Amino acid sequence: MVEQGKPVEFWRWPETNWVNPDIDWIKGEWITAGVDVGSVSTQAVIMVDGEFYAFGNTRTGSDSPNSAQKGMDYALEKTDLKLENIDYCIGTGYGRVNVPMAQQAITEISCHARGANFMYGPDVRTVMDMGGQDCKAINVDDRGKVLNFMMNDKCAAGTGRGMEVFADLIHIPVWEIGPRSFLISREPPSISNTCVVFAKSEVVGLLEQGVPENEIMAAYCSAMAHRIMELLKRLGVKEKFVITGGIAKNEGVVKRLEKELGIKTAEQAWANPQYREKNYPFDTQLAGALGAALFGQSLLELGKAKSVRKT
Amino acid sequence: MIANYGFNDASGDWFLILNTDKCNGCGKCVEVCPVKILKVGPDEIDIFREEPVAFVKHEERKKIKYHCAPCKPGYGLGLPPCVAACEPAAISFSDGWKACFKDSHQ
Ligand code: SF4
Ligand code: SF4
């Protein structure tokens, strides 16, 4: 558990990066990158001819340009690739217009749809993008094209940021909330407030009453599941159903949502059998950046974008 | 593609629904919207679409409740101006809203 005397950042997911050992980028024709600057975390994905080559997943820093740079540096870290070798880079997410190395910005709705199509396969029909700042329900076709999307103006309680505020408040690492929310003797009523400020005071109230922490976590997760549910019911959720973004990693929310919907989310694994076999890391947070990199590839192939590669 | 921009007020969840397949980019909705939250420009979702399309401005999406709610029955007169102005009927609202208009408009 928590070590004494060491400051703990309860809200922070561990940062990760990776390079594909099976790809030699020098042999590739097009190298594209996608940088997804969210309000909570930033991901950069690099692809070689549309194959997954490298990624970096970092915490968003003080501003978007800085975060994008950090994400990109982290993705490049384990490779011998340099920024100058990249043909085309696309920014997406909340900070997409402030990605200094990007030639173009594309909305995260399109990028998550496209990325989910690549990661989970062409049979994906509904994508729920649970970002740090907001959430969007998206119906897609077999090419990952957006058919219908739904967003709302609600504040941060039902988002990654809300979950982080909550983790910090009860001093429990964000990755423990999911598993611990099931260590309860009975399912408590949901947190009733969906506004982050009110939800916070409600949680404080429950803590003061001596309600067990695990039960409060269960109540918070179920409130979040319920809110996502409202959007999905309206949109019309179809299988294969996937959740992208950080909340997808929180089983406390996902399992409760599945139960309420009566639909299971697809297994978090690559559709591509080779990727599965080789155990390439699968991270639901990468969908946006991956989709952006794939758009770069398509734009280059169609002659709608020009390579900026220097060496 | 169908874009749903939602908001929630005391009376429930509401969605402004824009069917981009029907939209011809004429810009009439932009002109008539009293609070100027709509815009016509390149399709940001379907980046391969060549024709311009209407959408809700980014900076307004989180505040759409304050803008569109006053167009609701009881506040506004008749149909919301954007819906009334759109000839190809590309703009509509979620069912709850339509129900409120049933008596005066079809
Ligand atoms: S409902 Fe009213 S405020 Fe909202 S977009 Fe239409 S005209 Fe503008
Ligand atoms: S009035 Fe209708 S067709 Fe014209 S731009 Fe607006 S939504 Fe599109």
Side-chain angles (χ1 to χ4, degrees):
Chain A
M1 274 282 305
V2 177
E3 273 177 58
Q4 286 294 314
K6 223 174 146 194
V8 179
E9 288 168 314
F10 294 104
W11 41 264
R12 191 194 280 269
W13 283 98
E15 299 191 328
T16 44
N17 66 355
W18 176 80
V19 60
N20 187 331
D22 305 315
I23 290 180
D24 180 4
W25 65 267
I26 299 189
K27 297 200 186 110
E29 190 187 353
W30 299 122
I31 301 171
T32 57
V35 183
D36 183 352
V37 182
S39 56
V40 167
S41 63
T42 295
Q43 296 82 29
V45 167
I46 302 166
M47 303 200 77
V48 176
D49 293 332
E51 298 287 340
F52 188 38
Y53 175 61
F55 80 84
N57 187 353
T58 59
R59 174 82 202 173
T60 292
S62 50
D63 58 31
S64 299
N66 171 296
S67 311
Q69 192 63 52
K70 203 175 110 192
M72 183 56 104
D73 289 347
Y74 204 42
L76 290 169
E77 190 186 72
K78 291 184 172 158
T79 73
D80 51 2
L81 191 74
K82 298 209 169 37
L83 193 57
E84 296 84 65
N85 304 126
I86 294 174
D87 288 284
Y88 206 69
C89 176
I90 288 177
T92 187
Y94 172 74
R96 64 182 171 280
V97 290
N98 288 310
V99 177
M101 67 290 275
Q103 281 72 53
Q104 190 174 337
I106 299 180
T107 163
E108 63 270 25
I109 298 170
S110 318
C111 292
H112 274 266
R114 185 80 188 257
N117 172 276
F118 183 92
M119 291 174 80
Y120 293 88
D123 48 348
V124 168
R125 285 296 163 274
T126 302
V127 180
M128 184 79 215
D129 165 23
M130 299 277 315
Q133 195 80 306
D134 54 12
C135 39
K136 295 159 197 108
I138 312 163
N139 277 339
V140 298
D141 71 5
D142 56 357
R143 291 168 303 150
K145 197 170 171 255
V146 179
L147 296 176
N148 195 340
F149 78 85
M150 196 162 266
M151 53 162 56
N152 63 27
D153 65 337
K154 286 176 188 164
C155 69
T159 64
R161 184 70 204 130
M163 190 53 95
E164 295 195 337
V165 170
F166 175 68
D168 210 38
L169 189 70
I170 59 170
H171 288 279
I172 306 244
V174 72
W175 56 90
E176 282 186 18
I177 291 178
R180 285 189 58 180
S181 75
F182 291 109
L183 305 176
I184 47 172
S185 47
R186 57 170 187 110
E187 188 74 23
S190 304
I191 299 283
S192 56
N193 280 297
T194 47
C195 165
V196 77
V197 181
F198 292 118
K200 209 172 152 176
S201 57
E202 198 174 332
V203 168
V204 172
L206 291 172
L207 283 168
E208 278 166 1
Q209 284 167 38
V211 176
E213 280 171 349
N214 292 355
E215 252 179 49
I216 300 177
M217 285 182 250
Y220 195 86
C221 289
S222 93
M224 217 162 187
H226 195 74
R227 290 195 19 162
I228 307 169
M229 171 81 189
E230 284 171 22
L231 263 192
L232 283 169
K233 252 196 338 219
R234 255 173 206 280
L235 180 85
V237 51
K238 295 189 198 84
E239 283 178 288
K240 201 171 181 177
F241 167 49
V242 304
I243 305 180
T244 59
I247 296 291
K249 296 183 193 174
N250 187 321
E251 60 191 271
V253 178
V254 175
K255 291 226 172 92
R256 286 182 175 86
L257 176 68
E258 287 176 340
K259 202 173 153 206
E260 224 179 305
L261 272 178
I263 286 186
K264 282 229 173 296
T265 53
E267 185 197 354
Q268 292 184 8
W270 294 103
N272 182 331
Q274 277 169 4
Y275 284 22
R276 258 178 202 250
E277 209 175 288
K278 296 199 159 133
N279 247 322
Y280 291 171
F282 188 92
D283 184 338
T284 58
Q285 281 184 291
L286 297 180
L290 205 147
L294 285 171
F295 273 121
Q297 174 79 18
S298 306
L299 288 166
L300 287 167
E301 278 171 0
L302 291 168
K304 292 194 173 206
K306 258 179 116 164
S307 167
V308 296
R309 187 163 173 172
K310 297 201 188 77
T311 54
Chain B
M1 190 213 30
I2 300 169
N4 298 268
Y5 303 96
F7 62 95
N8 173 279
D9 65 11
S11 62
D13 285 311
W14 300 92
F15 287 90
L16 184 157
I17 304 165
L18 225 152
N19 185 335
T20 61
D21 298 329
K22 287 189 185 170
C23 171
N24 60 24
C26 70
K28 287 193 179 131
C29 56
V30 176
E31 268 168 52
V32 298
C33 170
V35 283
K36 303 288 169 222
I37 62 165
L38 299 169
K39 196 177 165 178
V40 169
D43 192 329
E44 53 156 36
I45 307 283
D46 179 5
I47 60 159
F48 299 110
R49 173 180 169 138
E50 310 269 344
E51 305 81 32
V53 75
F55 55 88
V56 175
K57 291 181 193 165
H58 278 268
E59 62 276 22
E60 308 292 353
R61 288 180 188 174
K62 296 262 161 202
K63 299 179 278 185
I64 176 170
K65 163 160 72 183
Y66 305 106
H67 298 313
C68 296
C71 282
K72 264 172 27 188
Y75 298 104
L77 305 163
L79 286 174
C82 57
V83 176
C86 181
E87 276 155 27
I91 310 182
S92 59
F93 279 90
S94 47
D95 289 341
W97 196 313
K98 257 185 250 157
C100 294
F101 275 116
K102 229 179 204 143
D103 296 337
S104 48
H105 294 268
Q106 278 309 322

